[in-house]
Amino acid sequence: MSNTKIKKLSDGINKSLFEFASYNDSAAKRAGYSNYSYWRSTVQVFAKNKMALFFLILMMVLLTFTFIQPYLPNQNSPTKIHIDENTNMQLRNSSPDSKFWFGTNSIGQDLWARIWSGTRISLMIGFLVGLWEAFIGIIIGALWGYVRKLDRIITEIYNVIDNIPTTIILVLLTYIMRPSIGTLIFAMCMTGWLGMARFVRNQIVIIRDREYNLASRCLGTPTNRIITKNLLPYLVSVIMLRMALAIPAAIGSEVFLTYIGLGLPVSIPSLGNLINEGRAVMMVPSLRYQLIFPAIVLSLITISFYVIGNVFADAADPRNHV
């Protein structure tokens, strides 16, 4: 059989069995479509952990109740001193009952109202300090780790501040300035960003010279875009963990400063003030409730943020996604 006949036979078979498909834009999009969503996958992985869900719900209920408590009926003022109508004396150290659910303190103030008011103030301090630490720490840490020209300058600034014990800086600032919520927040913000900045810097140094970042630099991608698009998204999980732990850490610092007498004034209820007041009477068995109740609230906040932060950090890691 000649080559011409073989070619004609082959063309006939191809035309009968196959035909060229024309390009279809909508079909091409359907073929390349993926319904994967990073944040949806993160939520799905997080929801699988029942303990984290429990503490998340508990924290949401606690936060909601803390802020609506003053508007509920039959609520007392946290600073009001209650007087016994029969003796015309202060209702000092009254045990928990139907009128005062958490009892009263040594001058007749309602502990129920004071604990929730103190929780509001402590949470406000914790959130403000935590957000400031994250904002400043991430910016300085990202520049510190990626821009080599700034490495030496920021390292020297970091070493100067970090070599002074944080406790001394907190004590000096709160001692020099007038005790108030603003003073406490300012003192914590002065040094709080150091840990976050150093952590972000170390993480960025590890990944800044990977192939996709080198390719971006060769293509002339601006530094701010490389940091925000290439580097920080890779660190979402660990940054979220640090932010979650920064809030209870700030509350713990407030408790510590109040414990040594340099925190908020006694007239301003906070978890630090309440625990300090309870500590003074903890050796009297009938008065230990003044320490137990605020300690329970503080423990719930600390444990909840710790568990939620750790589980969310694992869920935000793409390697754990579904």
Side-chain angles (χ1 to χ4, degrees):
M1 184 180 292
S2 65
N3 292 335
T4 304
K5 291 181 178 180
I6 294 174
K7 185 177 180 181
K8 289 181 178 180
L9 180 61
S10 176
D11 291 341
I13 293 173
N14 288 339
K15 289 179 181 180
S16 62
L17 297 179
F18 307 100
E19 66 178 69
F20 290 101
S22 60
Y23 175 75
N24 188 307
D25 183 64
S26 60
K29 289 181 179 179
R30 287 197 302 272
Y33 173 74
S34 173
N35 64 348
Y36 173 80
S37 169
Y38 172 78
W39 290 111
R40 184 175 62 200
S41 183
T42 299
V43 172
Q44 289 175 352
V45 175
F46 182 87
K48 290 182 178 180
N49 192 305
K50 304 303 181 184
M51 181 176 291
L53 273 180
F54 168 76
F55 280 109
L56 177 62
I57 295 172
L58 178 65
M59 200 65 225
M60 292 174 63
V61 171
L62 183 65
L63 287 172
T64 303
F65 182 79
T66 298
F67 287 98
I68 68 171
Q69 181 268 333
Y71 306 103
L72 297 176
N74 302 322
Q75 299 298 310
N76 296 317
S77 169
T79 57
K80 179 182 178 181
I81 298 175
H82 296 271
I83 306 297
D84 189 341
E85 297 178 355
N86 298 323
T87 62
N88 204 27
M89 299 287 290
Q90 296 173 348
L91 282 171
R92 298 178 179 178
N93 301 323
S94 176
S95 300
D97 54 29
S98 58
K99 183 178 180 181
F100 303 107
W101 289 4
F102 285 177
T104 61
N105 62 6
S106 57
I107 60 173
Q109 294 172 323
D110 185 7
L111 272 182
W112 168 268
R114 288 182 64 78
I115 284 176
W116 296 119
S117 178
T119 303
R120 281 193 299 276
I121 292 174
S122 294
L123 283 173
M124 181 187 69
I125 294 173
F127 276 110
L128 289 176
V129 173
L131 290 174
W132 174 262
E133 289 181 12
F135 180 73
I136 297 298
I138 291 172
I139 291 176
I140 294 178
L143 294 174
W144 186 6
Y146 186 76
V147 183
R148 289 175 171 81
K149 293 180 180 179
L150 297 177
D151 184 68
R152 183 178 180 83
I153 298 173
I154 300 179
T155 299
E156 294 300 326
I157 295 174
Y158 174 86
N159 289 334
V160 170
I161 301 176
D162 191 57
N163 283 329
I164 304 173
T166 302
T167 304
I168 293 179
I169 296 177
L170 291 174
V171 169
L172 285 176
L173 288 174
T174 52
Y175 183 77
I176 294 172
M177 303 173 69
R178 185 173 62 87
S180 65
I181 296 176
T183 298
L184 202 60
I185 294 174
F186 176 77
M188 293 183 193
C189 289
M190 285 292 293
T191 58
W193 59 271
L194 291 173
M196 177 70 82
R198 181 57 184 259
F199 177 78
V200 172
R201 182 257 182 192
N202 291 340
Q203 297 299 316
I204 286 184
V205 166
I206 295 173
I207 64 174
R208 70 183 178 189
D209 291 327
R210 291 186 176 177
E211 291 80 1
Y212 57 90
N213 291 319
L214 293 176
S216 294
R217 287 204 293 270
C218 291
L219 293 172
T221 306
T223 299
N224 63 337
R225 185 171 179 81
I226 293 177
I227 291 175
T228 56
K229 299 295 183 181
N230 289 12
L231 299 177
L232 291 182
Y234 186 85
L235 305 176
V236 167
S237 60
V238 288
I239 288 175
M240 292 302 295
L241 174 60
R242 297 281 301 194
M243 288 179 62
L245 298 181
I247 296 171
I251 297 175
S253 297
E254 183 266 323
V255 173
F256 167 73
L257 289 173
T258 304
Y259 178 80
I260 62 176
L262 294 173
L264 296 176
V266 180
S267 58
I268 300 177
S270 69
L271 290 178
N273 271 333
L274 292 168
I275 289 176
N276 195 38
E277 292 173 4
R279 177 188 59 86
V281 297
M282 65 178 295
M283 299 308 296
V284 182
S286 61
L287 302 181
R288 285 177 184 165
Y289 64 87
Q290 298 186 27
L291 175 64
I292 292 173
F293 289 130
I296 289 175
V297 174
L298 178 61
S299 299
L300 287 176
I301 293 172
T302 303
I303 294 172
S304 296
F305 275 111
Y306 178 80
V307 173
I308 293 170
N310 274 281
V311 175
F312 186 83
D314 291 338
D317 190 340
R319 290 173 295 184
N320 297 328
H321 281 196
V322 292

